[in-house]
Amino acid sequence: MTPFAIAGIQMKVSAVASNVEMMKLKINITMSLYPWVDMIVFSELCAYGPLTHTAEEIPGNFEREMQAMAKRHGIWLLPGSIFEKSEGNIYNTATVINPEGEIVTRYRKMFPFYPYEVGVTPGSEFCVFDVPGVARFGLSICYDMWFPETVRTLAVMGAEVILHPTMTGTIDRDIELSIVRAMAAVNQCYFFDVNGLESGGNGRSLVCGPDGRVIYQAEGNEEIFPLELNIDRVKRSRELGVLRLGQPLKSFRDHIGQFGIYQHGAHLPYLNSLGPLIKPTKLDTLAKLKMQEHEYEPPVNPTGYKGFGEI
């Protein structure tokens, strides 16, 4: 068994005030309660909320503060994501920090969710990183997982655990929960989905194993959910099959050349007939309305944590 403990933090997120100090407090609480945790994962846009006017350059103060927290506690840290300002563009960017407080990698979300992320530029590079002696991890953000090719690519790159910060407060959360289970099963990997609350989402974070079964599902309140993963389950599933049945990664490998629609220059008349992607046109009005919507939010508080488990 190769144990590795990850704590997801599902917390209230404000859109009109910084959540960074609360994130730091949550890290301190987590490590006081569960000193055996190896990694902490927050939700998408947890630090500053969903409004793009908070965009900042990277590297910046937020990363430095999170680096200090990771080093202080000797943990791997994925502090959700922030809007990154770079060369006139805005990206939705997540940073991975190691126990020495070093930046290991960064990932820019490939599929911004319209209309909520109008003005956000898609990233173009997949992201995996290794925790030495443990596993290879892949990074995906929210709407990315609606495109099976993204998670499949991470699995083909060797990812055994998918870390998935999300910010979902819409009525399609039930659909997303089914996608998490499906992506875990067809890619034979752990899938660690962490949602936020209030301006950060409607909760119900979900962790699934390499057979697609639910390991833990949070509710609609603040929670800290530390789980010790057995990475050997991934290796066994990929060698012997999901529940000793289907072997989707091997079958995909053996038939990969048959997927002609993915070839550069492929003729796709039906997809092209669907018309352009629909985006809002009154962007200034939308931004003002979203800011007004969040003006009356109650302050966040540090309460709420959940027990632990081993799977």
Side-chain angles (χ1 to χ4, degrees):
M1 174 179 176
T2 305
F4 190 78
I6 306 177
I9 297 184
Q10 178 174 286
M11 61 173 268
K12 297 175 183 177
V13 174
S14 171
V16 294
S18 170
N19 304 288
V20 175
E21 291 304 313
M22 182 59 63
M23 292 175 68
K24 291 158 70 172
L25 179 56
K26 293 285 190 182
I27 293 172
N28 289 336
I29 291 172
T30 300
M31 298 312 298
S32 295
L33 288 169
Y34 314 113
W36 41 269
V37 161
D38 301 296
M39 174 185 285
I40 290 178
V41 180
F42 285 88
S43 60
E44 178 188 19
L45 301 174
C46 185
Y48 301 114
L51 303 180
T52 55
H53 73 81
T54 63
E56 65 178 48
E57 293 184 352
I58 293 179
N61 289 333
F62 174 67
E63 275 195 345
R64 286 190 285 272
E65 290 185 77
M66 293 297 106
Q67 286 178 266
M69 293 300 295
K71 185 175 182 179
R72 173 182 175 183
H73 292 289
I75 56 170
W76 290 83
L77 180 59
L78 172 53
S81 65
I82 64 170
F83 284 126
E84 173 197 3
K85 185 168 25 177
S86 176
E87 298 180 344
N89 295 319
I90 294 177
Y91 300 93
N92 187 337
T93 303
T95 301
V96 177
I97 305 167
N98 69 17
E100 287 72 46
E102 301 164 337
I103 304 297
V104 172
T105 189
R106 298 184 181 95
Y107 170 68
R108 289 171 169 172
K109 184 178 182 179
M110 288 188 167
F111 289 93
F113 182 50
Y114 299 120
Y116 291 91
E117 289 186 275
V118 169
V120 177
T121 301
S124 59
E125 296 184 6
F126 292 95
C127 179
V128 296
F129 66 95
D130 294 322
V131 173
V134 177
R136 175 162 290 182
F137 290 71
L139 198 50
S140 169
I141 299 177
C142 199
Y143 197 44
D144 286 340
M145 75 169 178
W146 282 69
F147 306 88
E149 297 82 359
T150 60
V151 183
R152 173 53 53 85
T153 299
L154 295 174
V156 170
M157 295 171 71
E160 297 163 291
V161 182
I162 305 298
L163 303 175
H164 187 252
T166 190
M167 174 181 274
T168 302
T170 44
I171 61 174
D172 56 355
R173 184 58 178 159
D174 277 334
I175 302 172
E176 290 200 332
L177 298 179
S178 67
I179 295 173
V180 171
R181 293 193 64 181
M183 289 298 98
V186 302
N187 293 291
Q188 301 171 273
C189 62
Y190 282 103
F191 205 104
F192 214 98
D193 166 273
V194 182
N195 199 13
L197 296 168
E198 296 187 355
S199 293
N202 52 22
R204 301 170 72 192
S205 299
L206 183 64
V207 181
C208 290
D211 53 8
R213 291 176 174 173
V214 174
I215 293 170
Y216 182 74
Q217 182 172 338
E219 300 299 331
N221 51 280
E222 289 203 320
E223 296 191 32
I224 298 170
F225 48 100
L227 297 165
E228 189 173 81
L229 308 185
N230 178 3
I231 306 301
D232 291 340
R233 285 186 57 194
V234 176
K235 305 179 191 303
R236 186 170 180 81
S237 174
R238 291 178 174 179
E239 179 183 355
L240 301 176
V242 178
L243 303 177
R244 296 296 293 264
L245 296 168
Q247 302 169 58
L249 277 185
K250 290 182 182 179
S251 295
F252 176 75
R253 175 200 64 197
D254 294 346
H255 295 81
I256 196 168
Q258 299 182 15
F259 296 95
I261 62 169
Y262 296 118
Q263 302 304 313
H264 181 69
H267 185 51
L268 305 171
Y270 174 71
L271 289 183
N272 292 332
S273 75
L274 298 179
L277 188 67
I278 298 172
K279 302 178 184 179
T281 55
K282 299 181 179 179
L283 300 184
D284 291 339
T285 300
L286 178 62
K288 290 177 182 177
L289 289 172
K290 288 173 70 177
M291 292 183 69
Q292 183 179 348
E293 177 186 20
H294 297 299
E295 282 180 353
Y296 306 104
E297 290 180 340
V300 296
N301 65 73
T303 60
Y305 60 87
K306 197 70 176 177
F308 57 89
E310 177 180 337
I311 60 294

